Amino acid sequence: MSFDLVFFGGTGDLTWRKLMPALFQAFRHGKLPPGGRILAVARDERSDDEYRAFIKERFVEVEPAKQPSSEEFARFADLLHYRRMDLSKPEHYAGLKDWVDQRGADTVVLYLATAPYLFPVICEQLGAAGLNGPRVRVVLEKPLGHDLASAQQINRVVRSVFTETQAFRIDHYLGKPSVQNLMALRFGNALFEPLWRRESIANIQVTLAEALGVGTRGDFYDQTGALRDMIQNHALQLLTMIAMEPPSTNDADAIRDEKLKVLKSLKPFTPESVARDVVRGQYRAGTIAGQPVPGYLQEAKVPAASQTETFVALRTEVQNWRWAGVPFYLRTGKRLAARQAQIVVNFRQVPHPIFPGSARANKLVINLQPEDGLELHLLAAKGSGQGEMLAPVSLDLDFDKAFTTERVGAYERLLMDAIAGRLNLFVRSDEQEQAWRWVEPILDTWAADPNGPRAYAAGTWGPPASSAMVARDGCTWDEEQ
C-alpha cells in the first residue's frame, strides 16, 4: 500500500522529537508499508537534503537503543522530503496537491502537528484545494481547542471538509501498550468482569504524575494548565476505558459509543461541587532526586503572577447501575514525588472477617509508566500457626519481561493505524466535545475564583487538600496506604 504522509509543522518539536523517531522505529521494525513518502512542510526555505540533515542532528537526542546507525538513517532519509509552505496562501496548497497527485498514492495522511488555532485555516484551505478526497485522512493533534466553543468550531470546520471517518483525533495515551492491555484485561479475560462493578469495588484512582517541571514550554503551558493538558483528554479517556460497558465488537464505533455513554454519565460539576471535589495546585521550589528545583513562577516564560494550575485532583462518579456511588479519583501534576502513571482499583473489604488483625482489602494496580504491568494485591496465610494474622502478598506481572520482543511505542502504533485507516484508538468528535462539556464548569468556577491554586512543594504529592478530599470518603491515595 503506497502512502504519502504530510506533516504540517514539519520543523516543530512534536515532529522531530516524537513523530520522526516513531516513524523510524516502524521503518526499522519493517512495519512501515513499502512505497511511502514522508513530506515535512514549514515556513522556512530548505532543500530535501537540508531537512534530512536537520532530522539526523536531532536523532542524537533519542535514547541510544533507538538511534539509527548511519546506514539505517541513510535508507530512512530516502523517504524524507521537504516543502516550503505559507499556511495562509491558497497557491501553496495547490502546489501541495500537485505534489501529491504526481504519484497518486493509495493513501494520503495529513498530520496537523501545529498549534490548534491553525486547524480551521488549514482544513479550509485543504478543502478548497481538493485535498479531501476519499483516500485522504487528516490527523489532529491535541489539545483540540481551548474550551468547548473552540473545540466545536474546529469540529465544524473539519466536518465541512472531511467525513468523520477521515478525521483522526489523536491522543497518544491511547497508543500505549499498557492502555491497550486495559481493554484486553477487561474484555479478553473472564476473571475480572463479574467483579467490575459497585458491589465489589470501593473506589478507583487514576494518577498521571510527572517529576519534571514545565521546562522550556512555560509560555505554552501557562495558556493550558493541567486540567486541559491531562485531565480533559488522557485521564478521561482512561476513565472511559475503565468504566465502559463491554462493546458488542472490537470495531471503532462500537468502542467509542460505549466510551461516550460513560462521559455522558459523569456526575456534572456545579460551583459548589468544584469547591468541594476539585483541588488545584501550583508547585513552588523544592527538591527532586536530591536536587533543588525552582517553583513554577520562577520557570522561564511563566508570568510572575500566573494562576495557572500545575496540579489537579478531583472526585467524580459515573451515574449508572454498574458504578452508582463508587468514587473515581483523577489526579495529575508536575514536579510531583515520582514519575508515575497508574490505575488503582480498590476492592471492598470482606463482608465478615474471620482472621485476626486488620483486614486489608484487595487491590489491582495497573501500571502504565514507567513500568508496564499488573499487580494484584491479596492476603495469604504464612502457615506459622493457629490464629495467625494474614500477610499481604502480590502477583506481579511485568509486561516487558513477559513479552520478550520489542513492543511498539504509542506514536508508532497510532501512525501505523492512521496510515491503515484504523480508528479504534482515535477520539470521535462527540466524545471530545462531551469531555470539554464536563470540564467547562471547573474552568468557569476557577475563572471567578480570586484565590487561585494552592501551593505545594516540588517533590511532594501535591497540596494536602488532595489527601483531605479523598479522606472524606474514608479513602487514601495509594502511596499513603
Side-chain angles (χ1 to χ4, degrees):
M1 179 187 69
S2 61
F3 70 91
D4 284 335
L5 176 55
V6 181
F7 289 122
F8 291 82
T11 57
D13 273 16
L14 176 65
T15 300
W16 64 258
R17 193 185 301 275
K18 297 288 187 182
L19 303 178
M20 285 297 178
L23 282 172
F24 170 71
Q25 291 306 313
F27 175 79
R28 171 183 271 179
H29 298 154
K31 295 182 178 178
L32 198 62
R37 294 188 302 179
I38 301 166
L39 175 67
V41 302
R43 289 180 65 93
D44 48 337
E45 193 70 59
R46 297 173 193 249
S47 66
D48 287 355
D49 287 339
E50 287 171 335
Y51 184 74
R52 292 162 182 161
F54 167 82
I55 293 298
K56 185 176 183 179
E57 288 173 6
R58 277 146 186 81
F59 267 121
V60 175
E61 300 185 27
V62 176
E63 59 184 280
K66 295 186 177 181
Q67 290 180 7
S69 66
S70 296
E71 186 272 333
E72 282 179 317
F73 185 81
R75 289 190 290 114
F76 177 68
D78 286 341
L79 307 179
L80 302 183
H81 304 269
Y82 181 84
R83 187 178 187 88
R84 180 182 175 275
M85 276 189 69
D86 183 329
L87 299 180
S88 65
K89 293 186 175 180
E91 61 269 25
H92 286 199
Y93 291 86
L96 174 62
K97 185 174 189 302
D98 290 341
W99 187 87
V100 168
D101 287 347
Q102 283 173 10
R103 195 171 64 124
D106 297 326
T107 301
V108 178
V109 178
L110 307 173
Y111 196 120
L112 309 193
T114 66
Y117 74 88
L118 291 172
F119 291 175
V121 174
I122 297 172
C123 288
E124 286 173 346
Q125 295 281 11
L126 290 171
L131 274 167
N132 62 338
R135 64 195 176 103
V136 177
R137 295 164 194 144
V138 62
V139 180
L140 304 163
E141 181 65 48
K142 84 161 191 80
L144 207 67
H146 193 71
D147 53 19
L148 177 60
S150 59
Q152 289 174 327
Q153 171 60 17
I154 291 171
N155 283 330
R156 277 194 294 270
V157 174
V158 172
R159 279 194 293 265
S160 72
V161 178
F162 299 97
T163 66
E164 184 64 42
T165 57
Q166 290 177 287
F168 289 65
R169 296 168 188 83
I170 195 167
D171 184 333
H172 73 268
Y173 250 73
L174 299 185
K176 290 178 178 290
S178 51
V179 176
Q180 294 160 41
N181 263 314
L182 180 55
M183 294 283 285
L185 173 75
R186 287 201 57 197
F187 307 129
N189 299 282
L191 180 62
F192 289 111
E193 190 58 28
L195 306 176
W196 213 257
R197 58 190 64 251
R198 62 187 301 274
E199 291 82 3
S200 300
I201 292 176
N203 66 81
I204 294 178
Q205 303 175 10
V206 177
T207 295
L208 304 176
E210 298 178 76
L212 295 175
V214 296
T216 60
R217 299 168 68 241
D219 50 350
F220 162 78
Y221 192 87
D222 201 67
Q223 298 298 315
T224 307
L227 186 73
R228 292 182 175 95
D229 191 41
M230 298 294 287
I231 296 292
Q232 185 273 336
N233 39 70
H234 301 331
L236 279 185
Q237 284 294 316
L238 292 176
L239 187 154
T240 62
M241 296 172 80
I242 297 164
M244 65 190 280
E245 295 297 320
S248 57
T249 68
N250 197 32
D251 293 338
D253 278 335
I255 294 169
R256 299 191 296 184
D257 286 346
E258 298 301 337
K259 288 162 64 182
L260 179 62
K261 290 177 186 176
V262 174
L263 291 170
K264 288 184 173 181
S265 300
L266 287 175
K267 186 176 182 178
F269 281 107
T270 64
E272 293 74 25
S273 65
V274 170
R276 182 183 65 246
D277 294 335
V278 183
V279 176
R280 61 171 167 160
Q282 188 185 88
Y283 66 84
R284 299 293 185 258
T287 303
I288 299 285
Q291 298 297 316
V293 295
Y296 178 72
L297 298 179
Q298 287 74 54
E299 299 279 19
K301 302 177 184 177
V302 172
S306 171
Q307 292 198 342
T308 297
E309 79 285 355
T310 62
F311 174 94
V312 177
L314 62 84
R315 179 195 190 278
T316 189
E317 295 179 17
V318 179
Q319 297 180 314
N320 61 21
W321 275 45
R322 181 187 287 263
W323 296 113
V326 176
F328 284 74
Y329 304 111
L330 309 184
R331 177 176 60 164
T332 188
K334 291 189 174 294
R335 288 295 189 208
L336 297 183
R339 176 176 177 256
Q340 182 184 82
Q342 66 175 21
I343 299 162
V344 180
V345 180
N346 288 303
F347 291 92
R348 297 190 184 279
Q349 293 190 352
V350 294
H352 176 63
I354 62 173
F355 295 96
S358 59
R360 181 179 296 186
N362 305 137
K363 68 179 178 181
L364 173 68
V365 180
I366 304 165
N367 290 311
L368 308 178
Q369 69 178 29
E371 297 87 10
D372 177 7
L374 299 173
E375 301 170 21
L376 181 59
H377 295 256
L378 307 168
L379 294 173
K382 295 180 181 178
S384 57
Q386 184 68 26
E388 68 171 314
M389 295 176 59
L390 298 184
V393 295
S394 62
L395 304 175
D396 192 349
L397 174 60
D398 184 328
F399 287 135
D400 286 333
K401 293 178 181 176
F403 303 119
T404 55
T405 57
E406 187 172 3
R407 303 170 76 204
V408 176
Y411 272 112
E412 180 183 347
R413 167 69 186 269
L414 293 172
L415 283 164
M416 296 305 98
D417 280 358
I419 292 171
R422 292 186 292 265
L423 282 159
N424 296 45
L425 299 178
F426 293 85
V427 180
R428 203 167 59 192
S429 61
D430 50 1
E431 278 185 84
Q432 181 241 341
E433 290 180 13
Q434 184 61 33
W436 276 118
R437 193 172 287 111
W438 184 73
V439 302
E440 194 148 78
I442 304 175
L443 295 169
D444 292 342
T445 303
W446 286 353
D449 179 9
N451 295 320
R454 301 168 188 262
Y456 66 95
T460 67
W461 281 104
S466 169
S467 296
M469 179 188 71
V470 300
R472 289 199 306 268
D473 295 326
C475 304
T476 60
W477 291 109
D478 187 58
E479 74 276 358
E480 299 169 343
Q481 294 179 6

